[in-house]
Amino acid sequence: MALPYKAHDLFLVAVDCIIFGFDGKELKVLLVKRSFEPAKGGWSLIGGFVKKEESVEAAAGRILYNLTGLTDIYMEQISCFSNPNRDPGGRVLSIAFFALIKIDDYPADLMEQHNSGWFPLYKVPPLIFDHRQMLQMAKAGLQAKAASHLIGFELLPKKFTLQQLQGLYEAIYETVLDKRNFTRKILSLNVLRKLNEKEKESSKKGAFYFVFDRRKHAKQTEKSMMFL
Amino acid sequence: MALPYKAHDLFLVAVDCIIFGFDGKELKVLLVKRSFEPAKGGWSLIGGFVKKEESVEAAAGRILYNLTGLTDIYMEQISCFSNPNRDPGGRVLSIAFFALIKIDDYPADLMEQHNSGWFPLYKVPPLIFDHRQMLQMAKAGLQAKAASHLIGFELLPKKFTLQQLQGLYEAIYETVLDKRNFTRKILSLNVLRKLNEKEKESSKKGAFYFVFDRRKHAKQTEKSMMFL
DNA sequence: GCAAAAGTGTTTTGTCTACACCCATGA
DNA sequence: TCATGGGTGTAGACAAAACACTTTTGC
């Protein structure tokens, strides 16, 4: 069969991933030092080219796996970036994704190996191409999503204290929340299970651990998570 | 200079536009009968291929202009659709946009010329490829955006009555709103200007026209528009 | 015994919801 | 004069915001 779409322009298509992590205090983004031209040596989002036989989602998953060794990473498409001059190396479209990982799941040896590093959002170095803009949109997308869906847990260890959870939301929204109001609200969502175990690092008294309970969550109709 | 990105796969890239219109009663989407293979004769979103020297936004604008003769159409990127089998005619990525137009701005003669037609959202015929899925996402995107931004006015004529405006939000959210609560809320946003002129078609008494006042709007901090 | 973080309730405020009648007009 | 849609206010329920002290325990 003759291909019906002759005579149209062809594009290289990349994906770039804004990988967020949370260290208990700050929201951070994972960047790599680019190892090839153009813009070799510049700080860059994690990216790569899409292959013909895969979707862009599959490509993002593959690239994240290659970098981190992790599968089933929470991921969401942000936008297609397509300014004709965005990449001096060629005519490349890029589909940006944000991804949420538990910061401890990304082993330090891989960080060295890939020349990558975590940067707090307010200390991000100059980025190549339009990656700064991608980061801005990813941050906005994360805020929007977290306002209505319980995605925060993707950024926390399996068990966490309420104060860590509150700190995460404070980091995402760059705001300060009232401890009592936050506790009441999050518990009223009925998606947490309290463990009989305390985190004793950061205080003498110790704070109870909680886990996100998917069973409970499935039973809830999603309430607003707007903490602002 | 040698191109640094050799040996990566190339893609055709299309844009598809979900064009919404509002006739005073129903939210509608503009579809065309496809005039070429594959899927010739099937109902399709309005689309076309992206050219090398333009962004996807520019491509969408060009395609909308070619179809409607309109410029400065409100438009928002939804998502990239990239399933390898989505288009039997070739390996085509598509970037979906939703677009909002004032339904009367699209002249009837152009509709005939392009074999296009307006369909209420609950009476959409089977669509080609993944266009149904695009439409679903566009609808969700419209609802999400309209909840926090005053984009509804893009779908209404310059002057409109409060009942038309309410009808629009009811159509977008597929719900029924209380007239008094709606009136109070929308007027409290302080973005409308009441005209000294009445619409007398649909009632004996006549309903005052309002216009969206961009000056007032600029002075407001965007409040929630959630009417649900 | 004291420093440091954990945990816990009440009051006030504002917002959302539900609800029904009179008005102006053209036919 | 009557049928039609236009326009308007209030009370109750609920949710959000503000706010401070006691508890635990390792040092």
Side-chain angles (χ1 to χ4, degrees), chain A residues 1 3-5 8-13 34 36-38 49-57 77-84 87-93 95 129, chain B residues 1 3-5 8-13 34 36-38 49-57 77-84 87-93 95 129:
Chain A
M1 152 171 131
L3 286 179
Y5 305 141
H8 291 293
D9 295 333
L10 292 164
F11 295 82
L12 290 159
V13 178
R34 192 161 148 117
F36 53 94
E37 293 293 348
F49 286 96
V50 180
K51 296 180 179 175
K52 196 147 200 166
E53 69 282 3
E54 68 186 358
S55 67
V56 295
E57 286 78 15
Q77 198 185 124
I78 299 292
S79 186
C80 170
F81 288 78
S82 62
N83 188 299
D87 184 334
R91 185 67 180 100
V92 185
L93 295 193
I95 317 295
F129 307 167
Chain B
M1 149 173 134
L3 286 180
Y5 305 141
H8 291 292
D9 294 333
L10 292 165
F11 295 82
L12 290 159
V13 178
R34 192 160 148 117
F36 54 94
E37 293 294 346
F49 286 97
V50 180
K51 296 181 178 175
K52 196 147 202 168
E53 71 281 4
E54 68 186 358
S55 67
V56 294
E57 285 77 16
Q77 201 185 122
I78 299 293
S79 186
C80 171
F81 288 79
S82 63
N83 188 299
D87 185 333
R91 185 66 179 103
V92 185
L93 294 193
I95 317 295
F129 307 167

Side-chain angles (χ1 to χ4, degrees), chain A residues 14-124:
Chain A
V15 300
D16 285 297
C17 298
I18 297 91
I19 304 176
F20 290 113
F22 179 66
D23 67 359
K25 290 195 68 177
E26 290 176 332
L27 195 60
K28 295 185 170 179
V29 60
L30 190 63
L31 302 173
V32 292
K33 250 206 170 102
R34 192 161 148 117
S35 63
F36 53 94
E37 293 293 348
K40 184 171 175 172
W43 286 104
S44 163
L45 297 171
I46 285 77
F49 286 96
V50 180
K51 296 180 179 175
K52 196 147 200 166
E53 69 282 3
E54 68 186 358
S55 67
V56 295
E57 286 78 15
R62 169 175 56 79
I63 287 158
L64 286 171
Y65 176 75
N66 288 342
L67 183 84
T68 65
L70 304 173
T71 56
D72 297 319
I73 293 177
Y74 182 89
M75 199 187 313
E76 190 149 332
Q77 198 185 124
I78 299 292
S79 186
C80 170
F81 288 78
S82 62
N83 188 299
N85 307 312
R86 57 173 296 280
D87 184 334
R91 185 67 180 100
V92 185
L93 295 193
S94 176
I95 317 295
F97 288 81
F98 75 76
L100 306 181
I101 75 174
K102 306 183 202 310
I103 205 163
D104 295 327
D105 286 356
Y106 182 50
D109 55 320
L110 281 178
M111 279 193 44
E112 277 193 34
Q113 191 178 319
H114 290 105
N115 277 306
S116 62
W118 289 103
F119 290 82
L121 289 189
Y122 54 87
K123 277 190 203 163
V124 170

Side-chain angles (χ1 to χ4, degrees), chain A residues 163-221:
Chain A
Q163 327 311 319
Q164 289 171 327
L165 185 58
Q166 178 177 342
L168 170 60
Y169 278 101
E170 290 179 333
I172 290 176
Y173 293 111
E174 295 171 324
T175 186
V176 175
L177 301 172
D178 179 87
K179 184 168 54 160
R180 282 169 290 187
N181 292 338
F182 179 83
T183 304
R184 185 178 331 110
K185 183 152 186 182
I186 201 80
L187 291 178
S188 78
L189 293 178
N190 208 27
V191 295
L192 297 184
R193 198 172 66 241
K194 189 180 195 169
L195 300 184
N196 250 336
E197 189 187 352
K198 283 188 164 186
E199 191 273 342
K200 311 268 294 186
E201 300 272 306
S202 55
S203 78
K204 328 256 162 132
K205 186 176 176 182
F208 279 104
Y209 278 118
F210 287 78
V211 292
F212 180 59
D213 188 328
R214 288 187 188 282
R215 287 223 211 114
K216 283 186 175 180
H217 181 216
K219 286 184 191 158
Q220 307 298 314
T221 63

